[in-house]
Amino acid sequence: MATNGDGIAATPALDGAAVRELRQRLQEDRGKRASELAALEKVVEGTAPEQVEPADYSRMDNLRQSLTEIDGALRRLEEGTYGVCEGCGQAIPAGRLEILPHVRCCVRCQGRIDGGGR
Ligand SMILES: [Zn+2]
């Protein structure tokens, strides 16, 4: 695909329809997680702190983090920077986005982050 080479490239490999579909998918995912989080919070609120399962706390943490990531992905979709690796600025392969729609980095950068960097 030819580009004129100036400015930030449009979201790579995504046309308008794909963006709409993705946004819908992210919003559905967000809705599900938000309601699961709300339900868990309700349970935890009604439970004495020492009786709350530690797993419930970590599940809530995970959900909150997912929500933050999904929000970030939705924002990047609006800005047209979705699918660009935050680490190296390269396009994230479509196959990876298919599996992990809210991912922020390519596999290589993710590995570097998970590995503690160097
Ligand atoms: Zn990268």
Side-chain angles (χ1 to χ4, degrees), residues 22-34:
L22 200 58
R23 184 184 298 138
Q24 200 184 358
R25 198 175 142 191
L26 285 164
Q27 277 167 345
E28 273 173 22
D29 201 18
R30 192 188 192 290
K32 266 186 260 171
R33 285 170 205 260

Side-chain angles (χ1 to χ4, degrees), residues 85 87-88 106 109:
C85 174
C88 63
C106 69
C109 293

Side-chain angles (χ1 to χ4, degrees), residues 84-92 104-110 112:
V84 178
C85 174
E86 286 187 356
C88 63
Q90 300 291 312
I92 299 170
R104 285 176 298 185
C105 301
C106 69
V107 175
R108 199 181 314 170
C109 293
Q110 189 69 55
R112 213 168 52 207

Side-chain angles (χ1 to χ4, degrees), residues 19-94:
V19 168
R20 275 195 299 277
E21 197 185 306
L22 200 58
R23 184 184 298 138
Q24 200 184 358
R25 198 175 142 191
L26 285 164
Q27 277 167 345
E28 273 173 22
D29 201 18
R30 192 188 192 290
K32 266 186 260 171
R33 285 170 205 260
S35 49
E36 190 185 341
L37 178 60
L40 261 177
E41 279 173 342
K42 217 171 153 186
V43 170
V44 169
E45 257 172 48
T47 309
E50 66 273 14
Q51 283 171 358
V52 175
E53 296 284 338
D56 284 348
Y57 281 124
S58 46
R59 181 75 190 138
M60 288 197 304
D61 279 349
N62 286 342
L63 285 167
R64 286 194 191 101
Q65 199 186 341
S66 301
L67 288 173
T68 306
E69 281 173 6
I70 292 169
D71 282 345
L74 284 166
R75 197 182 59 237
R76 292 195 299 280
L77 266 183
E78 300 304 323
E79 290 170 347
T81 57
Y82 180 83
V84 178
C85 174
E86 286 187 356
C88 63
Q90 300 291 312
I92 299 170

